């Protein structure tokens, strides 16, 4: 694959070099305990590899939203010990007031975490003096935080122009997976877009119709498209003011030879609560007091057949209100089909989005997908076809 960024393989001998590594250590914490260490574990490969190669590894990261103010409750000192435990080697906290002296005394192969980059108001402004201050602490720069790459901040973008810049292992894996899914995918390509609202994903839909062969629309947003096609969606979540926009997207899809799949049978209920009385009906039979809460079994099976004829799948957004049983059925069934096709080797499957990742975990298939992005905002901006500043700055 022709890549337009350098990786750790291109760094040459890093022995004794000070390497600034931007990671995403923005972990959820309750009473001083990290409640989900996914991001800490994701940072290990790059940090350990550089330390093993004899570099002085200085991790840069933000924590919370201190908005340019020093706030002890958002100090990365709180994350240093948890990261040390996950990394399995010593990690020192580097107070930003004395950073230069501390880094000077670091041994080859040592790892440190610099204080929260967002304590400096220049971080989010990508200010030249902040970039200078950080650049003076290192010889080389590695960006391993795809999830922060949609922001042009000093530690995510500015530094890449000041120091020789490389993608970390996590960033590399993410960029390769995204390239396989939408950059240079094998066709036919299917996209599944679901979730609550059309309004939050308009740009995603507009971009995808130009890129993919099959656009599968599910979740609450399908209701707006059904309404645009004259279906009475009863009491369903529906953005009636956006039916015109939905029509425009359907027309653009038509022009681009993208087949749009909307559900033709649906699961409805009068109340939105766990295990209420439900009916499975044709979309034209939804009563005025009923809500569409999931795609029906017939449409789900037909969508599975669409995936069987595709080589690539990119998925964002659940097909139904999956948190509330039994409205996870379509999401789980389609996810299992995608996972099985991936295991067989006939499908490259890439998924992302907070609720999507939760739904795939609920279905027990996240590990069977080719790649699952936990990047949230950055993943969505990439689905919109936007250039991410942190990625663009790594371009050779
Ligand atoms: P992601 O976080 O993966 O980008 P979204 O946040 O866009 O996904 O959408 C997820 C939400 O959409 C879930 O909370 C889910 O319950 C809701 N949802 C899906 N289908 C429906 C529906 N038919 N009616 C109401 N809410 C729905
Ligand atoms: Mg969400």
């Amino acid at each position: 694959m022709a890549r337009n960024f350098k990786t750790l393989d291109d760094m040459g001998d890093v022995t004794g070099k000070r390497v600034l590594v931007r990671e995403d250590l923005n972990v959820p914490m309750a009473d001083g305990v990290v409640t989900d260490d996914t991001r800490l574990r994701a940072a290990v490969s790059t940090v350990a590899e550089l330390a093993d190669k004899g570099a002085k590894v200085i991790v840069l990261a933000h924590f919370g939203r201190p908005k340019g103010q020093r706030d002890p409750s958002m100090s990365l000192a709180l994350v240093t010990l948890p990261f040390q435990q996950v990394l399995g080697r010593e990690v020192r906290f580097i107070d930003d007031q004395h950073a230069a002296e501390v880094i000077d005394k670091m041994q080859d192969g040592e790892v440190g975490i610099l204080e929260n980059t967002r304590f400096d108001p220049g971080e989010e402004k990508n200010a030249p003096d902040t970039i200078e201050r950080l650049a003076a602490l290192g010889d080389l720069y590695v960006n391993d935080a795809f999830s922060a790459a949609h922001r042009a901040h000093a530690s995510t973008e500015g530094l890449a122009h000041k120091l020789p810049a490389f993608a970390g292992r996590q960033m590399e894996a993410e960029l390769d997976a995204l390239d396989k899914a939408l950059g240079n995918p094998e066709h036919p390509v299917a996209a599944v877009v679901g979730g609550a609202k059309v309004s939050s994903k308009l740009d995603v839909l507009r971009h995808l119709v130009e890129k993919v062969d099959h656009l599968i629309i599910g979740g609450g947003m399908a209701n707006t498209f059904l309404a645009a096609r004259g279906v009475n969606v009863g009491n369903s979540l529906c953005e009636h003011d956006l039916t015109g926009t939905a029509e425009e997207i359907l027309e653009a899809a038509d022009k681009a030879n993208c087949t749009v799949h909307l559900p033709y049978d649906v699961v409805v209920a009068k109340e939105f609560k766990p295990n209420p009385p439900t009916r499975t009906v044709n979309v034209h039979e939804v009563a005025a007091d009923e809500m569409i809460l999931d795609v029906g079994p017939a449409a789900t099976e037909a969508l599975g057949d669409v995936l069987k004829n595709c080589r690539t799948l990119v998925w964002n957004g659940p097909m139904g209100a999956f948190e509330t049983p039994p409205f996870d059925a379509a999401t789980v069934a389609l996810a299992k089909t995608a996972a099985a096709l991936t295991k067989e080797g006939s499908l490259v499957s890439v998924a992302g989005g907070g609720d999507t990742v939760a739904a795939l975990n609920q279905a027990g298939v996240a590990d069977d997908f080719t790649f699952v992005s936990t990047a949230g905002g950055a993943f969505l901006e990439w689905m919109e076809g936007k250039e991410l500043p942190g990625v663009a700055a790594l371009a050779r």
Side-chain angles (χ1 to χ4, degrees):
M1 187 189 311
R3 288 166 163 169
N4 66 344
F5 56 91
K6 294 183 192 169
T7 72
L8 300 198
D9 299 320
D10 305 304
M11 289 180 85
D13 185 7
V14 295
T15 314
K17 298 262 173 66
R18 300 167 302 159
V19 184
L20 302 178
V21 183
R22 181 56 159 98
E23 291 287 357
D24 183 352
L25 303 183
N26 194 23
V27 284
M29 226 177 205
D31 301 323
V33 177
V34 174
T35 52
D36 178 354
D37 68 359
T38 309
R39 285 173 166 167
L40 302 185
R41 285 186 281 114
V44 167
S45 56
T46 296
V47 171
E49 179 175 339
L50 288 168
D52 285 341
K53 288 177 171 169
K56 297 170 179 164
V57 184
I58 301 130
V59 176
L60 308 179
H62 72 278
F63 187 40
R65 294 172 183 271
K67 303 212 165 105
Q69 306 275 339
R70 203 161 279 282
D71 180 338
S73 74
M74 296 181 210
S75 171
L76 274 173
L78 301 168
V79 180
T80 302
L81 195 59
F83 185 56
Q84 168 167 312
Q85 281 157 352
V86 170
L87 186 66
R89 59 182 90 197
E90 206 178 311
V91 178
R92 74 157 76 199
F93 172 69
I94 307 171
D95 173 3
D96 51 354
Q97 315 280 352
H98 310 96
E101 297 128 74
V102 176
I103 291 169
D104 235 23
K105 294 196 191 96
M106 276 172 79
Q107 304 289 310
D108 295 358
E110 242 196 277
V111 178
I113 299 181
L114 190 68
E115 182 59 287
N116 194 342
T117 52
R118 290 191 185 169
F119 280 4
D120 178 343
E123 159 73 343
E124 294 185 60
K125 293 183 188 130
N126 207 1
D129 52 336
T130 300
I131 298 168
E132 290 292 346
R133 176 178 68 79
L134 293 172
L137 301 176
D139 305 301
L140 302 164
Y141 169 71
V142 171
N143 190 349
D144 201 30
F146 176 82
S147 52
H150 55 316
R151 313 254 186 249
H153 294 171
S155 71
T156 62
E157 201 271 346
L159 264 181
H161 301 292
K162 263 288 172 235
L163 295 175
F166 307 85
R169 294 300 182 204
Q170 209 189 152
M171 173 74 90
E172 178 186 352
E174 183 105 27
L175 294 179
D176 283 351
L178 299 190
D179 191 63
K180 265 202 263 175
L182 269 191
N184 290 293
E186 263 191 66
H187 287 266
V189 182
V192 171
V193 183
K197 290 183 171 181
V198 174
S199 52
S200 62
K201 293 185 184 170
L202 277 179
D203 291 336
V204 171
L205 293 164
R206 288 194 180 111
H207 178 60
L208 288 177
V209 296
E210 303 293 333
K211 283 278 186 176
V212 305
D213 307 291
H214 295 274
L215 177 61
I216 295 169
I217 303 178
M221 66 168 60
N223 302 336
T224 303
F225 281 87
L226 289 170
R229 285 199 170 162
V231 171
N232 191 336
V233 297
N235 200 22
S236 304
L237 176 67
C238 179
E239 292 169 287
H240 290 283
D241 53 325
L242 284 179
T243 51
T245 310
E247 270 175 79
E248 279 166 33
I249 291 169
L250 292 173
E251 276 164 32
D254 214 38
K255 281 207 191 95
N257 267 326
C258 165
T259 308
V260 177
H261 302 264
L262 289 170
Y264 48 84
D265 66 334
V266 287
V267 182
V268 299
K270 289 184 181 163
E271 298 159 283
F272 190 13
K273 62 171 194 189
N275 301 306
T278 62
R279 298 197 307 141
T280 298
V281 297
N282 181 282
V283 287
H284 294 289
E285 292 161 359
V286 179
D289 60 349
E290 287 177 322
M291 287 173 278
I292 300 172
L293 292 168
D294 201 9
V295 173
T300 303
E301 200 177 322
L303 295 175
D305 289 337
V306 171
L307 296 190
K308 284 180 191 137
N309 291 312
C310 287
R311 303 289 293 163
T312 304
L313 165 68
V314 47
W315 185 332
N316 169 258
M319 302 298 283
F322 75 101
E323 306 95 329
T324 311
F327 307 110
D328 62 342
T331 305
V332 169
L334 199 61
K336 285 191 170 157
T337 302
L341 293 168
T342 307
K343 269 189 162 171
E344 274 169 40
S346 72
L347 190 71
V348 168
S349 53
V350 173
D355 293 295
T356 308
V357 176
L360 295 184
N361 282 325
Q362 191 168 313
V365 298
D367 291 342
D368 296 329
F369 270 56
T370 309
F371 190 81
V372 176
S373 172
T374 54
F379 180 83
L380 268 188
E381 287 200 21
W382 167 80
M383 289 263 290
E384 292 169 356
K386 289 196 183 132
E387 183 170 72
L388 309 187
V391 174
L394 290 178
R396 288 179 197 262

